[in-house]
Amino acid sequence: MASYRAPLRDMRFILNEVCQAPEAWAAMPATQALDAGLAEAILEEGARVTGAELFPLNQSGDAEGCRFEGGEVRTPAGFQAAFATLAEGGWFGLGGNPEHDGQGMPKLLTVAFEEMLYATNTGFALYPALNSGATLLLDSHADAATKACYLPRMYAGQWLGTMCLTEPHCGTDLGLIKTRAEPLDEGRYAITGTKIWITGGEHDMAENIVHLVLAKLPDAPAGSRGISLFLVPKFKVDDQGELGERNALSCGGLEHKMGIKGSATCVMNFDGAEGILIGEPHQGLAAMFTMMNYERLSIGIQGLGLGEVAYQSAMDFARERRQSRAPSGPAEPEAAADPILVHPDVRRMALDVRAWNEGGRAFTAFVAGQLDLAKFHPEAAVREEADALVALLTPVAKAFLTDRGFEATVTAQQLYGGNGYCVEWGAEQYVRDARIAMIYEGTNGIQAMDLVGRKLARNRGAYLTRFAAAMRADLAAGGDAEIADFRDAAGQALARLEAVSDGLLARGATDPNELGAAATDYLELLGLVAYAWMWWKMARAARHGLAADGASGEAFYRAKLAVGRYFLSRQLPKTLTLEARIQGGVEPLMHLAEEAFYPVD
Amino acid sequence: MIHGPSAPVGRSLFGLSRQLPKTLTLEARIQGGAGPLMGLAEEAFYPID
Ligand SMILES: Cc1cc2nc3c(=O)[nH]c(=O)nc-3n(C[C@H](O)[C@H](O)[C@H](O)COP(=O)(O)OP(=O)(O)OC[C@H]3O[C@@H](n4cnc5c(N)ncnc54)[C@H](O)[C@@H]3O)c2cc1C
């Protein structure tokens, strides 16, 4: 059976010992009210509610899926009730603006709750994840009246937000969209067009659905500069926030897909639906990026949550499964065979998954902490520094975490043998649910292009220079000789990244294809270097923990160091391959004529 | 680096410079030995609260 308990010990370690969250919160007026005790209570209750309400619906929701009946979408049995329970508990406004009844919790804390949501039920988690991004967008770009009307209801889960970008002929290249917005009177617009693959476009869990739609005004310039953003509700809303008649929009059907079957992926038809403009005309894509950047980290956490539940479930299996004998002789001679964890190759699989998960949890928290600094810190210089790191690391968080998350679910599935392929244990569902995360929210290839293009080449490596300086300063801070291997390995990996970056910037200046050719490998290289930094932070905190809390925490801290050393010797060496590939340059990719790609008889 | 117009050469060029470098990772991993795999006690594989 699938099995999951929120990894609270590790979450506490990351929050309190690695990120020193209580101290960070105390230093910022907006987060001063939050202390370690309150954070702990939120984590425990989050673990309880996701474990009790969502995890039991994960496999049944996958088997049943969403249904499209007479223009309406029915979510799987139990989703409505679970949604109501979480909404009542205030969970959908956890990170929301307190001025509009949100709970104002920092990202560093809310990412832990998001991990629990995705781990227990990814299909379900996507509804609140999109809603959180939509509220963030409205909070940043909508006018005061719109915020006052929509935000409290969306935080309460009474209304839920969506993100409507993709059209049948374009996903990545949004400059091509055809959806039109015609001005009506009193600041209203009529929106007409078809959007596809809209997550939560229609469902039965909230009384209204708030679509954030990209469309073009009649005078729009061509391409992505001509895109505007509109709020288009399913039911029209009056000045008092009361629901009126149904808007001229409808769900045209549901997509049948590989995984996340509890999540309704909808075709949405807008037939002159009334909406209001959010932000300035033609500035819609920039506003939408507020939401997309939020969603990118969130989707990264989808990979992490699924990696964690895949690991825990696989360990549940491994605990029971006995096959063959340990290479060094029987470990349990009285039994007919030894537990499979005696085999180094089984440990390889378990440790690969575990090391990716623990590195990913620390990295997620690091990026979240930077987002909090960028938003809440009183000093402009600190905010600006954090902003630069967030810009650099957001594509890495999306793509590296989801690539590792998928790898983790496949590796965990392999650990079961044949049982991993069969439905009962749940391992195959995690693989199917993890796969989409590499594709939506901007494919991982597009994340890599964003990294090498906008974040590296455009400012000639300025963000990377800041990242390297911050990492180097941290590698020099504290830590004892016992963990010198962590410091040395991270330092060498950073030096390799810097050398590769210099070469790439030089080649990219003369041939833009060089950047595209290196992009995916470069993102992975930066991801590995960032994880090496995180493992240094964790090793340092584990050494502190051993000194301070040697008796009760010893097993945890020793395991942390052992898993970290696994990362250093088995995962970090991939940097050698990535360096060689990137230095191979553009030639191996662009050499083949286009016709030569197509099969010949 | 191999240059040439024909598709097979193009494919082997890709293989040599983009796929073969995996050997670097594999060599380093293998040389890391059994220690990193066997260092963790069995109980430590199971989740704790
Ligand atoms: C289940 C699901 C849910 C979704 N939810 C939503 C949603 O809620 N809202 C929404 O608006 N959309 C949603 N999408 C759409 C999703 O975001 C897009 O599928 C994704 O952005 C990729 O666009 P595309 O499918 O059109 O691929 P294309 O843009 O056609 O890309 C095809 C391939 O070309 C590559 N490519 C394209 N351009 C470049 C380039 N410049 N450089 C290098 N490579 C390039 C891509 O990486 C990809 O491999 C969802 C999709 C799915 C499947």
Side-chain angles (χ1 to χ4, degrees):
Chain A
M1 278 302 122
S3 132
Y4 177 76
R5 280 181 294 163
L8 291 178
R9 178 66 183 93
D10 204 40
M11 287 172 167
R12 278 185 214 115
F13 171 72
I14 302 277
L15 267 182
N16 300 326
E17 298 169 62
V18 178
C19 298
Q20 272 123 18
E23 291 82 347
W25 294 331
M28 300 186 289
T31 53
Q32 260 161 6
L34 181 60
D35 60 18
L38 180 54
E40 173 67 24
I42 291 172
L43 285 184
E44 282 192 6
E45 183 56 16
R48 193 201 61 74
V49 75
T50 51
E53 300 292 330
L54 302 184
F55 197 51
L57 303 177
N58 189 45
Q59 278 181 295
S60 60
D62 176 63
E64 185 184 335
C66 293
R67 280 170 296 135
F68 184 60
E69 291 168 356
E72 309 277 318
V73 172
R74 302 261 161 261
T75 52
F79 271 39
Q80 270 186 332
F83 187 89
T85 303
L86 268 82
E88 203 171 303
W91 291 104
F92 302 142
L94 196 59
N97 185 347
E99 285 171 28
H100 299 288
D101 302 347
Q103 308 210 22
M105 290 297 144
K107 196 75 192 154
L108 187 48
L109 185 64
T110 61
V111 289
F113 179 65
E114 273 182 83
E115 185 190 324
M116 298 175 198
L117 279 175
Y118 283 116
T120 50
N121 197 324
T122 291
F124 181 97
L126 289 161
Y127 299 95
L130 265 299
N131 189 56
S132 296
T135 54
L136 188 71
L137 185 159
L138 292 177
D139 196 25
S140 310
H141 301 285
D143 60 32
T146 305
K147 286 195 232 186
C149 174
Y150 282 82
L151 288 179
R153 293 172 172 88
M154 291 171 78
Y155 292 146
Q158 200 179 337
W159 302 352
L160 270 197
T162 75
M163 180 170 93
C164 301
L165 287 60
T166 307
E167 299 185 5
H169 60 290
C170 67
T172 302
D173 190 354
L174 294 170
L176 301 174
I177 61 167
K178 292 181 182 162
T179 299
R180 302 185 321 273
E182 301 284 343
L184 303 169
D185 57 351
E186 296 170 358
R188 294 171 308 130
Y189 293 81
I191 312 294
T192 303
T194 297
K195 297 285 179 180
I196 63 165
W197 302 333
I198 303 309
T199 301
E202 176 60 42
H203 56 79
D204 55 6
M205 296 193 295
E207 64 184 40
N208 202 6
I209 301 179
V210 181
H211 301 288
L212 296 174
V213 185
L214 291 183
K216 290 194 169 180
L217 289 163
D219 61 344
S224 58
R225 278 181 231 285
I227 299 176
S228 303
L229 173 65
F230 299 88
L231 183 161
V232 189
K234 174 177 167 184
F235 290 99
K236 293 182 189 171
V237 176
D238 71 13
D239 293 345
Q240 309 305 313
E242 297 297 322
L243 296 187
E245 61 175 335
R246 221 186 135 127
N247 212 342
L249 63 92
S250 59
C251 174
L254 283 177
E255 219 60 60
H256 300 280
K257 53 198 196 296
M258 174 178 177
I260 54 164
K261 292 186 187 256
S263 171
T265 307
C266 304
V267 176
M268 296 304 300
N269 297 315
F270 296 86
D271 301 306
E274 268 182 35
I276 54 171
L277 181 71
I278 300 294
E280 298 300 314
H282 316 316
Q283 301 297 316
L285 202 54
M288 193 50 110
F289 259 100
T290 306
M291 178 163 184
M292 288 199 281
N293 282 331
Y294 176 92
E295 297 301 339
R296 285 177 178 180
L297 177 58
S298 180
I299 294 308
I301 301 171
Q302 177 182 345
L304 171 61
L306 284 164
E308 180 63 31
V309 69
Y311 175 81
Q312 292 195 23
S313 300
M315 288 307 99
D316 222 32
F317 176 83
R319 206 195 283 265
E320 305 296 327
R321 188 71 172 174
R322 290 169 178 274
Q323 293 288 296
S324 316
R325 290 297 187 188
S328 49
E332 296 183 19
E334 67 291 353
D338 287 337
I340 57 174
L341 272 176
V342 300
H343 304 299
D345 196 57
V346 174
R347 289 173 159 250
R348 171 187 64 77
M349 292 185 270
L351 282 164
D352 254 340
V353 179
R354 169 118 163 220
W356 289 135
N357 290 346
E358 292 183 12
R361 187 166 298 119
F363 181 61
T364 300
F366 178 78
V367 176
Q370 297 300 316
L371 277 164
D372 289 334
L373 289 176
K375 187 169 175 185
F376 298 126
H377 203 279
E379 289 168 38
V382 176
R383 290 199 302 273
E384 196 222 342
E385 173 81 14
D387 247 341
L389 286 180
V390 168
L392 181 74
L393 297 178
T394 295
V396 182
K398 194 279 178 177
F400 192 70
L401 275 162
T402 58
D403 282 346
R404 300 292 77 74
F406 180 66
E407 204 175 306
T409 57
V410 173
T411 306
Q413 180 189 34
Q414 184 75 13
L415 190 146
Y416 290 80
N419 283 299
Y421 197 72
C422 299
V423 172
E424 186 190 350
W425 279 91
E428 57 84 43
Q429 184 190 343
Y430 301 135
V431 174
R432 289 186 289 104
D433 285 356
R435 185 64 184 84
I436 183 60
M438 300 151 83
I439 297 173
Y440 59 16
E441 235 357 274
T443 62
N444 285 3
I446 292 302
Q447 304 302 321
M449 291 302 295
D450 177 45
L451 176 66
V452 295
R454 278 195 210 98
K455 310 296 170 59
L456 181 73
R458 188 174 289 176
N459 60 27
R460 287 192 292 290
Y463 290 161
L464 186 76
T465 304
R466 288 178 184 226
F467 170 86
M471 179 167 165
R472 241 182 218 109
D474 195 45
L475 291 178
D480 58 14
E482 284 286 315
I483 52 168
D485 51 343
F486 284 87
R487 177 191 282 130
D488 294 347
Q492 283 162 14
L494 176 60
R496 179 165 293 134
L497 171 70
E498 290 177 306
V500 166
S501 306
D502 288 344
L504 181 60
L505 282 169
R507 296 199 308 273
T510 53
D511 180 358
N513 275 333
E514 285 283 352
L515 296 175
T520 289
D521 293 317
Y522 185 83
L523 186 145
E524 190 174 351
L525 179 59
L526 179 48
L528 282 165
V529 172
Y531 275 34
W533 182 9
M534 297 304 118
W535 275 110
W536 159 251
K537 286 175 176 290
M538 290 191 278
R540 188 175 53 195
R543 292 289 301 163
H544 275 299
L546 278 172
D549 181 20
S552 67
E554 178 160 8
F556 175 84
Y557 296 122
R558 296 238 173 263
K560 186 61 76 180
L561 291 168
V563 176
R565 292 204 160 93
Y566 181 88
F567 169 81
L568 296 185
S569 76
R570 310 276 310 192
Q571 297 180 328
L572 191 59
K574 179 94 187 267
T575 53
L576 297 167
T577 296
L578 297 168
E579 177 187 30
R581 270 195 210 146
I582 295 167
Q583 286 177 345
V586 72
E587 177 69 8
L589 289 162
M590 303 312 280
H591 181 91
L592 210 58
E594 193 190 319
E595 315 80 73
F597 276 87
Y598 308 124
V600 283
D601 297 330
Chain B
M1 195 177 277
I2 302 169
H3 292 275
S6 68
V9 173
R11 283 197 291 272
S12 62
L13 170 61
F14 184 84
L16 284 182
S17 75
R18 309 275 310 188
Q19 296 177 330
L20 193 60
K22 183 83 192 266
T23 55
L24 297 168
T25 303
L26 299 172
E27 179 187 15
R29 272 197 206 141
I30 294 165
Q31 285 179 346
L37 290 161
M38 305 312 282
L40 202 62
E42 191 191 319
E43 317 79 71
F45 277 87
Y46 307 125
I48 49 170
D49 289 329

Coordinates of all heavy atoms in Angstrom, one line a residue, chain B:
Chain B
M1 N 37.2 17.3 -33.3 CA 35.8 17.2 -33.6 C 35.6 16.7 -35.1 O 36.3 17.1 -36.0 CB 35.1 18.6 -33.4 CG 33.6 18.4 -33.4 SD 32.8 20.0 -33.0 CE 33.0 20.1 -31.3
I2 N 34.6 15.9 -35.3 CA 34.4 15.3 -36.6 C 33.5 16.3 -37.4 O 32.5 16.8 -37.0 CB 33.6 14.0 -36.5 CG1 34.4 13.0 -35.7 CG2 33.3 13.4 -37.9 CD1 33.6 11.8 -35.3
H3 N 33.9 16.6 -38.6 CA 33.1 17.4 -39.6 C 32.8 16.6 -40.8 O 33.5 15.7 -41.2 CB 33.9 18.7 -40.0 CG 34.1 19.6 -38.8 ND1 33.1 20.5 -38.5 CD2 35.1 19.7 -38.0 CE1 33.6 21.2 -37.4 NE2 34.8 20.7 -37.1
G4 N 31.7 16.9 -41.4 CA 31.3 16.1 -42.6 C 29.9 16.2 -42.9 O 29.1 16.5 -42.0
P5 N 29.5 16.1 -44.1 CA 28.1 16.3 -44.5 C 27.1 15.2 -44.3 O 25.9 15.4 -44.2 CB 28.2 16.6 -46.0 CG 29.4 15.8 -46.4 CD 30.3 15.7 -45.3
S6 N 27.6 14.0 -44.1 CA 26.7 12.8 -44.1 C 26.0 12.6 -42.8 O 26.5 12.9 -41.7 CB 27.4 11.6 -44.5 OG 28.3 11.2 -43.5
A7 N 24.8 12.1 -42.8 CA 24.0 11.9 -41.6 C 24.6 10.9 -40.6 O 24.7 11.2 -39.4 CB 22.6 11.4 -42.0
P8 N 25.2 9.8 -41.1 CA 25.8 8.9 -40.1 C 26.9 9.6 -39.3 O 27.1 9.4 -38.1 CB 26.3 7.8 -40.9 CG 25.5 7.8 -42.2 CD 25.2 9.2 -42.4
V9 N 27.7 10.4 -40.0 CA 28.8 11.1 -39.3 C 28.2 12.1 -38.3 O 28.6 12.2 -37.2 CB 29.7 11.9 -40.3 CG1 30.7 12.7 -39.6 CG2 30.4 10.9 -41.2
G10 N 27.1 12.8 -38.7 CA 26.4 13.7 -37.8 C 25.9 13.0 -36.6 O 26.1 13.5 -35.5
R11 N 25.4 11.8 -36.8 CA 24.9 11.1 -35.6 C 26.0 10.6 -34.7 O 25.9 10.7 -33.5 CB 24.0 9.9 -36.1 CG 22.6 10.3 -36.5 CD 21.7 9.1 -36.6 NE 22.1 8.2 -37.7 CZ 21.6 8.3 -38.9 NH1 20.8 9.3 -39.3 NH2 22.0 7.4 -39.8
S12 N 27.1 10.2 -35.3 CA 28.2 9.7 -34.4 C 28.8 10.9 -33.7 O 29.3 10.8 -32.6 CB 29.2 8.9 -35.2 OG 29.8 9.6 -36.2
L13 N 28.8 12.1 -34.4 CA 29.3 13.3 -33.7 C 28.5 13.6 -32.5 O 29.1 13.9 -31.4 CB 29.3 14.4 -34.7 CG 29.5 15.8 -34.2 CD1 30.9 15.9 -33.6 CD2 29.4 16.9 -35.3
F14 N 27.2 13.5 -32.6 CA 26.3 13.7 -31.5 C 26.6 12.7 -30.4 O 26.8 13.1 -29.2 CB 24.9 13.6 -31.9 CG 23.9 13.9 -30.8 CD1 23.6 15.3 -30.5 CD2 23.4 12.9 -30.0 CE1 22.7 15.6 -29.4 CE2 22.6 13.2 -28.9 CZ 22.2 14.5 -28.6
G15 N 26.7 11.5 -30.8 CA 27.0 10.4 -29.8 C 28.3 10.7 -29.1 O 28.4 10.6 -27.8
L16 N 29.4 11.0 -29.8 CA 30.7 11.2 -29.2 C 30.7 12.3 -28.3 O 31.3 12.3 -27.2 CB 31.7 11.4 -30.3 CG 32.2 10.2 -31.1 CD1 33.3 10.6 -32.1 CD2 32.7 9.1 -30.2
S17 N 30.1 13.5 -28.7 CA 30.3 14.6 -27.8 C 29.2 14.8 -26.8 O 29.3 15.6 -25.9 CB 30.6 15.9 -28.7 OG 29.4 16.3 -29.2
R18 N 28.0 14.2 -27.0 CA 26.9 14.4 -26.0 C 26.6 13.2 -25.2 O 26.0 13.3 -24.2 CB 25.7 14.9 -26.8 CG 25.9 16.1 -27.7 CD 25.8 17.4 -27.1 NE 24.7 17.6 -26.3 CZ 24.4 18.8 -25.8 NH1 25.1 19.9 -26.1 NH2 23.3 19.0 -25.1
Q19 N 26.8 12.0 -25.7 CA 26.4 10.8 -25.0 C 27.6 10.1 -24.3 O 27.5 9.7 -23.2 CB 25.6 9.9 -25.9 CG 24.3 10.6 -26.4 CD 23.5 9.8 -27.4 OE1 24.0 9.0 -28.2 NE2 22.2 10.0 -27.4
L20 N 28.7 10.0 -25.1 CA 29.8 9.3 -24.5 C 30.4 9.9 -23.2 O 30.8 9.2 -22.3 CB 30.9 9.2 -25.6 CG 32.1 8.2 -25.3 CD1 31.5 6.8 -25.1 CD2 33.1 8.3 -26.4
P21 N 30.3 11.3 -23.1 CA 30.8 11.9 -21.8 C 30.2 11.3 -20.5 O 30.6 11.6 -19.4 CB 30.6 13.4 -22.0 CG 30.5 13.6 -23.5 CD 29.9 12.3 -24.0
K22 N 29.1 10.6 -20.7 CA 28.5 10.0 -19.5 C 29.5 9.1 -18.8 O 29.4 8.8 -17.6 CB 27.3 9.1 -19.9 CG 26.5 8.4 -18.8 CD 25.5 9.3 -18.2 CE 24.9 8.8 -16.9 NZ 23.6 8.1 -17.1
T23 N 30.5 8.6 -19.5 CA 31.5 7.7 -18.9 C 32.2 8.5 -17.8 O 32.7 7.8 -16.8 CB 32.6 7.3 -19.9 OG1 33.1 8.5 -20.6 CG2 32.0 6.4 -21.0
L24 N 32.3 9.8 -17.9 CA 33.0 10.5 -16.8 C 32.3 10.4 -15.5 O 32.9 10.2 -14.4 CB 33.1 12.0 -17.2 CG 33.9 12.3 -18.4 CD1 33.7 13.8 -18.9 CD2 35.4 12.1 -18.2
T25 N 31.0 10.5 -15.6 CA 30.1 10.4 -14.3 C 30.3 9.0 -13.8 O 30.4 8.7 -12.6 CB 28.7 10.7 -14.7 OG1 28.6 12.0 -15.2 CG2 27.8 10.6 -13.4
L26 N 30.1 8.0 -14.7 CA 30.1 6.6 -14.3 C 31.4 6.2 -13.6 O 31.5 5.6 -12.6 CB 29.8 5.7 -15.5 CG 28.5 6.0 -16.1 CD1 28.3 5.2 -17.4 CD2 27.3 5.7 -15.2
E27 N 32.5 6.7 -14.2 CA 33.9 6.4 -13.7 C 33.9 6.9 -12.2 O 34.4 6.2 -11.3 CB 34.9 7.0 -14.5 CG 36.3 6.8 -14.0 CD 37.4 7.6 -14.9 OE1 37.0 8.5 -15.6 OE2 38.6 7.3 -14.7
A28 N 33.5 8.2 -12.1 CA 33.6 8.8 -10.7 C 32.8 8.1 -9.7 O 33.2 7.8 -8.6 CB 33.2 10.3 -10.8
R29 N 31.6 7.7 -10.2 CA 30.7 7.0 -9.2 C 31.3 5.6 -8.8 O 31.2 5.3 -7.7 CB 29.3 6.7 -10.0 CG 28.4 7.8 -9.8 CD 27.0 7.2 -10.2 NE 26.2 8.3 -10.6 CZ 25.3 8.3 -11.6 NH1 25.1 7.2 -12.3 NH2 24.6 9.3 -12.0
I30 N 31.8 4.9 -9.8 CA 32.3 3.6 -9.5 C 33.5 3.7 -8.6 O 33.6 2.9 -7.6 CB 32.6 2.8 -10.8 CG1 31.4 2.6 -11.6 CG2 33.3 1.5 -10.5 CD1 31.6 2.2 -13.1
Q31 N 34.3 4.7 -8.8 CA 35.5 4.9 -8.0 C 35.1 5.3 -6.6 O 35.9 5.1 -5.7 CB 36.5 5.8 -8.7 CG 37.2 5.0 -9.8 CD 38.2 5.9 -10.6 OE1 38.2 7.1 -10.4 NE2 39.0 5.2 -11.4
G32 N 33.9 5.8 -6.4 CA 33.5 6.2 -5.1 C 33.3 4.9 -4.2 O 33.2 5.1 -2.9
G33 N 33.2 3.8 -4.8 CA 33.1 2.5 -4.0 C 31.8 2.3 -3.3 O 30.8 3.0 -3.5
A34 N 31.8 1.3 -2.4 CA 30.6 0.8 -1.7 C 30.3 1.7 -0.5 O 29.1 1.7 -0.1 CB 30.8 -0.6 -1.3
G35 N 31.2 2.4 0.0 CA 31.0 3.1 1.2 C 29.7 4.0 1.2 O 28.9 3.8 2.1
P36 N 29.6 4.8 0.2 CA 28.4 5.7 0.2 C 27.1 4.9 0.2 O 26.0 5.5 0.6 CB 28.5 6.5 -1.1 CG 30.0 6.4 -1.5 CD 30.4 5.1 -0.9
L37 N 27.1 3.7 -0.3 CA 25.9 2.9 -0.3 C 25.6 2.2 1.0 O 24.4 1.9 1.3 CB 26.0 1.9 -1.5 CG 25.9 2.4 -2.9 CD1 26.5 1.4 -3.9 CD2 24.5 2.8 -3.3
M38 N 26.6 1.7 1.6 CA 26.4 0.8 2.8 C 26.5 1.6 4.1 O 26.3 1.0 5.2 CB 27.4 -0.3 2.7 CG 27.4 -1.1 1.4 SD 25.8 -1.6 0.8 CE 25.5 -3.0 1.9
G39 N 26.8 2.9 4.1 CA 27.0 3.6 5.3 C 25.8 3.8 6.2 O 25.9 4.0 7.4
L40 N 24.6 3.7 5.6 CA 23.4 4.1 6.3 C 22.8 2.8 6.9 O 22.6 1.8 6.2 CB 22.4 4.7 5.3 CG 21.3 5.5 5.8 CD1 21.8 6.8 6.5 CD2 20.4 6.0 4.7
A41 N 22.5 2.8 8.2 CA 21.9 1.7 8.9 C 20.5 1.4 8.3 O 19.9 2.4 7.8 CB 21.8 2.0 10.4
E42 N 20.1 0.2 8.3 CA 18.8 -0.1 7.7 C 17.7 0.7 8.2 O 16.8 1.2 7.5 CB 18.5 -1.6 7.8 CG 17.3 -2.0 6.9 CD 16.8 -3.4 7.1 OE1 17.6 -4.3 7.3 OE2 15.6 -3.6 7.2
E43 N 17.6 0.8 9.6 CA 16.5 1.6 10.2 C 16.4 3.0 9.6 O 15.4 3.6 9.6 CB 16.6 1.7 11.7 CG 17.0 0.4 12.4 CD 18.5 0.2 12.4 OE1 19.3 1.0 13.0 OE2 18.9 -0.7 11.6
A44 N 17.6 3.5 9.3 CA 17.6 4.9 8.9 C 17.0 5.1 7.5 O 16.8 6.3 7.1 CB 19.1 5.4 8.9
F45 N 16.7 4.1 6.8 CA 16.0 4.2 5.5 C 14.5 4.6 5.7 O 13.9 5.1 4.9 CB 16.1 3.0 4.7 CG 17.4 2.9 3.9 CD1 18.5 2.3 4.5 CD2 17.5 3.4 2.6 CE1 19.7 2.2 3.8 CE2 18.7 3.3 1.9 CZ 19.8 2.7 2.5
Y46 N 14.0 4.2 6.9 CA 12.5 4.3 7.1 C 12.2 5.7 7.6 O 13.0 6.3 8.4 CB 12.0 3.2 8.0 CG 12.4 1.9 7.5 CD1 13.1 1.0 8.4 CD2 12.1 1.5 6.2 CE1 13.5 -0.3 7.9 CE2 12.5 0.2 5.7 CZ 13.2 -0.6 6.6 OH 13.6 -1.9 6.1
P47 N 11.1 6.3 7.2 CA 10.8 7.7 7.6 C 10.6 7.8 9.1 O 10.2 6.8 9.8 CB 9.4 7.9 7.0 CG 9.3 6.9 5.9 CD 10.1 5.7 6.3
I48 N 11.0 8.9 9.7 CA 10.8 9.2 11.1 C 10.0 10.5 11.2 O 10.1 11.4 10.3 CB 12.1 9.4 11.9 CG1 13.1 10.3 11.2 CG2 12.7 8.0 12.2 CD1 14.3 10.7 12.0
D49 N 9.3 10.7 12.3 CA 8.5 11.9 12.4 C 9.4 13.1 13.0 O 10.3 12.8 13.7 CB 7.4 11.7 13.4 CG 6.3 10.9 12.8 OD1 6.2 10.9 11.6 OD2 5.7 10.1 13.6

